[in-house]
Amino acid sequence: MSQPRPGTRDRRAMLLEAVRDGSGGIAELAEEFGVSESTIRRDLASLAGAGHVVRTYGGALDTERSPHEKDRENAAAKDAIARQAAALVRDGEVVLLDAGTTTGRLARHLAHREGLTVVTNGVTAIRELAGFAGIDLIVLGGRLRHPNEAILGESVLAQLRHISPDRVFLGADGLVPGRGLCCPSLEQSVVKHAMLHAGAEAYVLADHSKLDQAPFSYWTPLDREYRLITDEPRIDAVYPAFADSVIVADGSEIVGGAAHHGRRGS
């Protein structure tokens, strides 16, 4: 006797697992689950609306993990990058933090400082800083995007026009020479670009797993001077085109192909 087909909710949960395991074609998924292609399309549309998958032509692409899941990936590297970034921040500065797990770790390293103003659109950073009276926390208001907990929208762009932070720290889902930062949505790519140009100094925080990776279809061009902070020790040899100045999480800085130790511009 054949097994009963799973209900809609169970099927969609199983479909999400199948997509995460690499199955993305409509016809392939329909055959696997014993339903019509139109049913698979409806299921994928529901999963996309909930932020679990990104629709592509003819199928689906596994998309963002939750912030908790992402924070566990390369955790030691992210923390080293965050500590290095925090060391650049001077007392009394205004700092703009992008949404993300590495920028959230940076917020954690800034939380016990005094006299800092931190502006952010990231729920992770807000959680890290909300309980510390020494931080003047400014939350950019807008629409909360799931699953990465970024606050986005026209209201965020309008508020960014009214600030000029000393330093901007951007997170990355992927970073490709000549293209910039890879983003999970067009709206997020636009907000990141506005952040990039808002501050006096701009930094991109990206561990080695993000370098030369393009998991999504939207881009923030890195069309101004910036510095990359990463844990990749051979960045000048492996990825020479990322930035004129790269700060490695061990404290060295690579400028024009030569490694220097200590902090420049601090």
Side-chain angles (χ1 to χ4, degrees):
M1 186 173 65
S2 62
Q3 293 293 323
R5 292 181 180 176
T8 299
R9 179 174 297 180
D10 290 339
R11 185 182 64 247
R12 288 176 179 172
M14 294 165 64
L15 178 60
L16 178 58
E17 289 302 316
V19 172
R20 286 180 170 173
D21 287 339
S23 300
I26 295 289
E28 175 189 355
L29 292 167
E31 181 178 358
E32 179 177 347
F33 287 92
V35 297
S36 67
E37 293 186 12
S38 61
T39 296
I40 291 295
R41 289 190 179 93
R42 285 194 297 271
D43 288 346
L44 291 175
S46 176
L47 292 171
H52 296 303
V53 300
V54 170
R55 292 296 306 275
T56 63
Y57 182 77
L61 174 69
D62 179 28
T63 180
E64 306 153 273
R65 305 291 192 264
S66 71
H68 179 69
E69 290 173 310
K70 291 171 69 174
D71 192 51
R72 290 181 298 182
E73 298 171 355
N74 301 307
K78 290 178 179 180
D79 203 56
I81 291 167
R83 285 197 304 270
Q84 189 67 50
L88 298 170
V89 177
R90 299 173 179 174
D91 292 341
E93 288 189 335
V94 177
V95 178
L96 176 59
L97 299 185
D98 185 18
T101 55
T102 308
T103 50
R105 286 175 178 265
L106 170 55
R108 185 182 307 168
H109 287 290
L110 296 176
H112 296 278
R113 300 278 293 272
E114 295 287 337
L116 291 180
T117 297
V118 178
V119 184
T120 186
N121 73 325
V123 173
T124 302
I126 294 168
R127 291 194 188 105
E128 295 290 350
L129 297 171
F132 293 88
I135 301 292
D136 184 10
L137 178 61
I138 299 175
V139 178
L140 297 171
R143 180 180 59 83
L144 181 63
R145 181 184 184 276
H146 294 286
N148 67 340
E149 298 185 341
I151 301 171
L152 305 172
E154 287 296 328
S155 56
V156 173
L157 297 174
Q159 291 167 84
L160 286 171
R161 289 195 286 269
H162 293 277
I163 65 172
S164 54
D166 298 288
R167 302 179 198 271
V168 178
F169 295 96
L170 298 177
D173 288 285
L175 177 59
V176 176
R179 292 301 305 271
L181 298 175
C182 187
C183 302
S185 73
L186 178 61
E187 191 175 32
Q188 195 156 2
S189 71
V190 172
V191 169
K192 281 180 179 284
H193 193 253
M195 288 183 163
L196 174 71
H197 287 272
E201 294 192 25
Y203 304 83
V204 173
L205 310 184
D207 67 71
H208 63 277
S209 70
K210 310 294 180 58
L211 303 180
D212 210 23
Q213 298 299 309
F216 305 113
S217 301
Y218 306 98
W219 296 90
T220 297
L222 293 170
D223 51 2
R224 64 156 291 182
E225 183 180 349
Y226 72 99
R227 296 161 78 185
L228 170 64
I229 306 179
T230 184
D231 65 313
E232 173 53 66
R234 300 179 300 120
I235 186 70
D236 54 337
V238 181
Y239 303 109
F242 275 121
D244 292 332
S245 177
V246 177
I247 302 171
V248 182
D250 63 4
S252 62
E253 181 171 10
I254 299 168
V255 183
H260 304 269
H261 290 272
R263 292 179 295 165
R264 183 171 71 104
S266 301

